[in-house]
Amino acid sequence: WMSIVGGRFMAPFLRHEAHFTNDTLIGLTFSVGMGILTVVAPWGGSIADYYEVQYPGKGRTQILQAGVCLGSLVFLCHGMQHLLPSLPLLATTSWHFTLRIIFAIAFAMTMPVLDGITLAHLEETHASTTRHGQNENDDDHDKNDKDDQENSSTASYGKERLHGAIWWALTNLMLGPCLDRWGFQVLYGF
């Protein structure tokens, strides 16, 4: 999701699709987005944790779904200029800048939630393997301690991040030729 709607190709996207005519405006857009991410992400994590307490096992997922849906919808609004060319507002810089601000808020809501869901899953997995290891003979105690360290949630978090980075790279490798062939409209799906 992030590779497509906010990743590596966003600067050329802003230049060609959003008609940002200079690098200063593109840089300002990215800076404002990062500022929003810095301010809103802790609140997003707190809201997700609150909902997780209220709705165990579902609260974070609900916030993640809301953020992804909002971010995707806002991103698709960039393409409205192609569907409704008679509305000049849809081709203005302020329209696209506003969309990027709303997208930054949606993105800020999803990032801490993804970390929270990942860590909760890894802790649950670690707890279940630890319980399983306690049922075995005590002769294997040293071996189980070593396995517990290797399978701990903090050690596995790096593996999860590595998988995410690999899939991000693969998505961008596939997306680049598609953008070259069909242009940025391929991102909208219409």
Side-chain angles (χ1 to χ4, degrees), residues 42-153:
W43 289 351
S46 296
I47 292 168
D49 290 343
Y50 172 78
Y51 276 95
E52 187 64 25
V53 170
Q54 299 298 316
Y55 309 101
K58 297 178 184 172
R60 287 188 185 113
T61 305
Q62 291 172 344
I63 299 299
L64 178 65
Q65 289 171 342
V68 169
C69 288
L70 176 63
S72 298
L73 180 66
V74 167
F75 181 79
L76 290 174
C77 285
H78 282 291
M80 295 297 288
Q81 65 186 341
H82 300 291
L83 294 176
L84 302 169
S86 60
L87 291 176
L89 166 72
L90 299 179
T92 63
T93 302
S94 58
W95 166 256
H96 292 286
F97 188 78
T98 303
L99 290 175
R100 294 309 301 167
I101 289 172
I102 298 168
F103 176 80
I105 293 168
F107 181 66
M109 295 296 289
T110 62
M111 294 293 49
V113 174
L114 286 173
D115 287 339
I117 289 172
T118 302
L119 289 171
H121 171 73
L122 292 173
E123 287 173 6
E124 181 181 300
T125 303
H126 176 66
S128 69
T129 58
T130 303
R131 283 192 303 270
H132 176 71
Q134 290 174 348
N135 294 333
E136 296 178 6
N137 294 334
D138 287 337
D139 296 337
D140 294 331
H141 183 66
D142 291 335
K143 179 182 174 276
N144 289 338
D145 284 345
K146 183 179 179 186
D147 289 343
D148 285 347
Q149 291 172 355
E150 290 176 2
N151 292 325
S152 72
S153 60

